[in-house]
Amino acid sequence: MRVLVTYGSKRGGTEGIARQVAEVLRGEGLDAEVRPPKEVEDVAAYDAVIVGGALYANRWYRLARRFVHRHAGVLREKPVWFFSSGPLDSSAVEGEIAPTHQVQALMEQVGARGHMTFGGRLEANAKGFIARAMAREHTGDWRDSGHIRRWAGSVAAELKARQEGRPIPVEPPPEARLH
Ligand SMILES: Cc1cc2nc3c(=O)[nH]c(=O)nc-3n(C[C@H](O)[C@H](O)[C@H](O)COP(=O)(O)O)c2cc1C
């Protein structure tokens, strides 16, 4: 099963999450490829798609948004998952953070099967006026690989069940997944 993992990442943090997600999928025997949105030639060639977006002022970074708008017709026909990144604190591992209003609308547009918010990363030397101001208060790498791996594992389990024609596994409640 060919899975596309694509991302809209301004400063590389979300790209790193996309790479970890794909690594987990490959470990589960799925043929996962990571591609920046602009390098995706044919979405129809994939059996499933995962799209990640960096959150800026509660909205996905534009490359992720544009990818969804541009390919909405094809995405609606496939199993699709979204992830967002992210809060610069431990909130994403303390409880499941719902998609923002805009991300929820994108999910509805393509009938996405699920969403997860992961912690983000902001480096102290971030470029840009607002980012620098923000970095005075919040810096660090809040991406939690356990969190990322658990979620990617649950997506892989569902994809493998589909592939083998088995019933789709039921997700445990968030508390069970986090501890
Ligand atoms: C100007 C600015 C605005 C941000 N707005 C949000 C936000 O609304 N919600 C959030 O959870 N994180 C927010 N963040 C944190 C980023 O989402 C986090 O740094 C993320 O990891 C960036 O991903 P990237 O490295 O892939 O661009 C913001 C960061 C900056 C610099």
Side-chain angles (χ1 to χ4, degrees):
M1 185 178 271
R2 235 180 130 196
V3 187
L4 169 66
V5 185
T6 189
Y7 54 86
S9 179
K10 192 171 183 182
R11 298 185 167 85
T14 310
E15 175 179 353
I17 297 174
R19 295 196 177 282
Q20 275 201 52
V21 168
E23 195 184 298
V24 171
L25 299 185
R26 283 194 292 268
E28 292 292 332
L30 296 161
D31 180 10
E33 289 171 28
V34 186
R35 296 259 179 281
K38 284 184 178 165
E39 285 177 21
V40 178
E41 281 169 11
D42 184 12
V43 181
Y46 297 92
D47 301 301
V49 180
I50 301 177
V51 190
L55 287 171
Y56 285 92
N58 285 326
R59 289 156 65 84
W60 263 8
Y61 183 54
R62 62 178 182 275
L63 293 180
R65 267 187 281 152
R66 280 189 199 149
F67 176 86
V68 174
H69 289 311
R70 194 177 318 127
H71 300 288
V74 188
L75 292 173
R76 261 197 301 276
E77 305 297 315
K78 303 193 179 286
V80 173
W81 282 265
F82 282 3
F83 69 83
S84 301
S85 162
L88 298 168
D89 55 28
S90 59
S91 56
V93 288
E94 284 162 7
E96 201 164 316
I97 299 176
T100 64
H101 185 69
Q102 186 229 33
V103 175
Q104 179 69 44
L106 291 171
M107 288 179 72
E108 283 162 20
Q109 203 181 338
V110 300
R113 303 194 55 78
H115 171 272
M116 183 56 75
T117 303
F118 299 116
R121 178 187 70 174
L122 185 62
E123 288 169 323
N125 60 356
K127 289 198 174 57
F129 181 74
I130 303 172
R132 248 194 343 266
M134 206 162 155
R136 277 187 221 119
E137 301 281 323
H138 310 272
T139 45
D141 191 349
W142 297 93
R143 298 169 303 170
D144 183 292
S145 38
H147 191 196
I148 297 164
R149 293 189 158 277
R150 278 192 295 281
W151 182 76
S154 72
V155 172
E158 179 166 340
L159 287 174
K160 283 165 73 182
R162 284 171 165 267
Q163 193 174 26
E164 293 157 17
R166 285 187 281 112
I168 309 287
V170 178
E171 295 238 325
E175 319 74 73
R177 261 183 283 140
L178 293 171
H179 298 291

